[in-house]
């Protein structure tokens, strides 16, 4: 399989030719009959995500022809390397056509996520979305990506900042980069924000997802306010985000610290089902989620040197944390049940 072309920010995006010509010809031979004559004459075939019909169409033989042809065209580009990734390894086409499609049933059908306040996310330009973190495994970050993409009118993509451990795990490392995740460092975050990207950060880190079930929905420390400093330098707004429902998917009733140290993990969770039920214990409980985006906190009114003011960092960090915590309590009061 050929390598994709790396496209730095701000440059034109030409297609890369080359790769496995034999494989491409084989795919073309299969794809050709699947394309209706009209599609062959008018240009490229519409690529439709699995499970989603094209706009204005409800199904039928023509719809399936377009899906098959689009899928084969996608496969051809993967085999020949005619696709693009940015300098962080983000693969937009793979994310839209495959990864989002895999996460969407979990979002829509399993957790039945309700999204509120999406209008608080800017239609364009950079913004930093700051959310609480929970759930033993970081499924909340993935659901947050789907929420932003599927519910924002501009179908924006969220670039999550991830911990070092994510990029040390074989397989997970590559998938995370292709999905738009990047290392949680100020330099990368600032470059993404200045390039007009939406960046997501969960400042609680492992302290949030690895906390005991008895401390659910109680925000952990937000660090030293590095995310505030980054937003100030880039002059982008901070959007607080509160996630309810993730805390109960894996109720963590214990932590095997010795085993965690042996495995090089921040914690080794013990839940009512794991490790007692083996692989079945890794299935999350089907809780009902709510994701609410709060009103943005502007940062463009501060002087450039404000990013070096520790008192300002503390005050803004505390404001963001308090907004998220207050909204969590509000959503919990409104919630009828953990599962409905």
């Amino acid at each position: 399989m050929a390598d994709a072309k790396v496209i730095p920010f701000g440059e034109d995006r030409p297609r890369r030719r080359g790769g496995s010509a034999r494989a491409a010809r084989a795919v073309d031979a299969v794809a050709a009959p699947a394309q209706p004559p009209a599609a062959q004459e008018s240009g490229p075939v519409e690529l439709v995500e699995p499970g989603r019909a094209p706009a204005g169409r409800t199904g039928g033989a023509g719809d399936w022809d377009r899906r098959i042809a689009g899928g084969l065209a996608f496969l051809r580009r993967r085999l020949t390397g005619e696709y693009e990734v940015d300098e962080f390894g983000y693969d937009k086409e793979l994310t839209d056509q495959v990864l989002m499609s895999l996460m969407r049933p979990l979002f829509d059908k399993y957790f039945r996520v309700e999204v509120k306040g999406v209008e608080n996310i800017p239609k364009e330009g950079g913004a930093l979305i700051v959310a609480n973190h929970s759930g033993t495994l970081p499924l909340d970050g993935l659901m947050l990506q789907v929420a932003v993409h599927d519910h924002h009118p501009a179908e924006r993509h969220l670039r999550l900042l991830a911990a070092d451990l994510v990029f040390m795990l074989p397989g997970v490392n590559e998938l995370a980069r292709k999905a738009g995740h990047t290392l949680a460092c100020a330099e990368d975050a600032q470059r993404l924000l200045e390039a007009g990207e939406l960046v997501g950060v969960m400042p609680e880190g492992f302290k949030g997802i690895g906390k005991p079930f008895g401390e659910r929905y109680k925000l952990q420390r937000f660090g030293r306010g590095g995310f505030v400093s980054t937003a100030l330098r880039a002059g982008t707004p901070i959007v607080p985000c509160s996630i309810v429902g993730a805390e109960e998917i894996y109720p963590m009733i214990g932590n095997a610290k010795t085993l965690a140290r042996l495995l090089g993990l921040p914690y080794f969770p013990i839940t009512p089902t794991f490790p007692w039920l083996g692989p079945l214990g890794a299935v999350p409980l089907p809780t009902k989620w709510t994701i609410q985006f709060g009103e943005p906190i502007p940062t463009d009114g501060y002087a450039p040197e404000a990013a070096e003011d520790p008192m300002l960092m503390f005050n803004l960090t505390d404001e963001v944390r308090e907004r998220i915590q207050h909204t969590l309590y509000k959503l919990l009061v409104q919630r009828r049940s953990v599962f409905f």
Side-chain angles (χ1 to χ4, degrees), residues 4-319:
K5 184 176 180 62
V6 177
I7 306 294
F9 285 125
E11 293 192 7
D12 294 333
R13 295 178 172 265
R15 288 286 185 187
R16 183 183 186 274
R17 295 290 178 182
S20 175
R22 180 178 298 178
R25 287 195 296 271
V27 174
D28 287 343
V30 178
Q35 299 180 21
Q40 296 176 7
E41 295 172 2
S42 60
V45 177
E46 179 182 4
L47 181 57
V48 182
E49 296 182 38
R52 287 198 166 194
R57 301 184 184 274
T58 58
D63 180 23
W64 280 107
D65 286 345
R66 278 185 293 275
R67 292 189 187 193
I68 294 170
L72 290 169
F74 171 80
L75 179 59
R76 181 188 188 281
R77 289 193 292 274
R78 309 316 292 186
L79 291 172
T80 61
E82 295 181 0
Y83 62 93
E84 303 157 357
V85 298
D86 69 13
E87 58 190 290
F88 296 96
Y90 173 50
D91 189 331
K92 181 180 182 298
E93 182 182 57
L94 182 69
T95 299
D96 284 349
Q97 304 302 329
V98 178
L99 302 181
M100 282 288 176
S101 297
L102 292 174
M103 294 187 290
R104 194 167 283 120
L106 197 62
F107 182 95
D108 290 331
K109 306 298 183 182
Y110 197 77
F111 294 134
R112 295 146 291 146
V113 184
E114 180 182 1
V115 180
K116 300 180 178 181
V118 73
E119 66 277 2
N120 290 314
I121 300 175
K123 294 181 180 179
E124 57 183 17
L128 185 67
I129 296 178
V130 183
N132 58 304
H133 206 12
S134 63
T136 305
L137 291 180
L139 295 181
D140 51 358
L142 301 179
M143 296 302 100
L144 185 58
Q145 281 189 285
V146 180
V148 172
H149 180 268
D150 284 7
H151 288 263
H152 194 278
E155 295 186 346
R156 302 200 64 180
H157 292 84
L158 182 65
R159 309 292 296 272
L160 283 172
L161 303 181
D164 297 4
L165 180 62
V166 172
F167 301 103
M168 294 169 59
L169 298 174
V172 176
N173 171 20
E174 186 175 353
L175 272 177
R177 290 198 179 277
K178 287 186 176 296
H181 303 186
T182 190
L183 193 64
C185 67
E187 293 78 10
D188 286 358
Q190 186 173 343
R191 289 170 62 197
L192 287 167
L193 289 172
E194 291 175 345
E197 299 281 352
L198 283 181
V199 176
V201 62
M202 294 173 162
E204 292 176 281
F206 290 121
K207 299 189 300 294
I209 57 175
K211 64 177 178 286
F213 186 65
E215 297 180 14
R216 60 192 179 279
Y217 299 114
K218 296 178 182 177
L219 292 183
Q220 304 297 298
R221 187 170 173 268
F222 266 25
R224 301 178 180 178
F227 67 91
V228 171
S229 176
T230 302
L232 283 170
R233 288 191 174 94
T236 54
I238 300 172
V239 181
C241 175
S242 301
I243 304 174
V244 164
E247 294 274 15
E248 294 91 0
I249 60 173
Y250 297 109
M252 186 168 162
I253 58 176
N255 178 14
K257 295 182 179 179
T258 302
L259 187 54
R261 283 195 294 269
L262 289 174
L263 296 175
L265 301 174
Y267 56 89
F268 188 88
I270 297 174
T271 75
T273 58
F274 182 84
W276 326 113
L277 299 183
L280 284 176
V283 177
L285 296 177
T287 57
K288 175 73 170 65
W289 288 33
T290 301
I291 297 179
Q292 179 160 336
F293 299 96
E295 293 185 7
I297 300 172
T299 65
D300 53 357
Y302 293 96
E305 60 272 15
E308 308 299 330
D309 184 346
M311 185 55 68
L312 178 62
M313 296 300 100
F314 175 83
N315 289 336
L316 285 177
T317 301
D318 193 55
E319 180 181 357

